[in-house]
Amino acid sequence: MTLEIISPSEIVFNGEVEAVTLPGVAGKFTVLKNHASLISVLKEGNVRYLQNGEENSVEIRGGLADIDLNKIAVCVY
């Protein structure tokens, strides 16, 4: 699946990943391949993603996540 993390000034990350954990306002949640469509508000925390067996993270202050058809678009501020 594809993860794209964008801010108002740059594309922070764009690539293929195996899993993504997001800091939702109702709690952390993990997205795997073929996840149901979802839009979520994000709070301050870390977007963690697994790429080629290696875990990486991006610290965010908040934002929105749109999950649909194995594409995760995360708009952060």
Side-chain angles (χ1 to χ4, degrees), residues 14-55:
N14 188 11
E16 291 295 314
V17 297
E18 291 102 42
V20 180
T21 300
L22 299 158
V25 292
K28 291 181 184 177
F29 63 98
T30 300
V31 177
L32 301 172
K33 188 175 181 181
N34 297 322
H35 195 284
S37 296
L38 170 73
I39 295 176
S40 178
V41 177
L42 305 176
K43 65 180 184 177
E44 184 174 350
N46 289 305
V47 174
R48 299 183 186 279
Y49 58 93
L50 188 62
Q51 184 180 41
N52 299 322
E54 184 177 323
E55 187 173 312

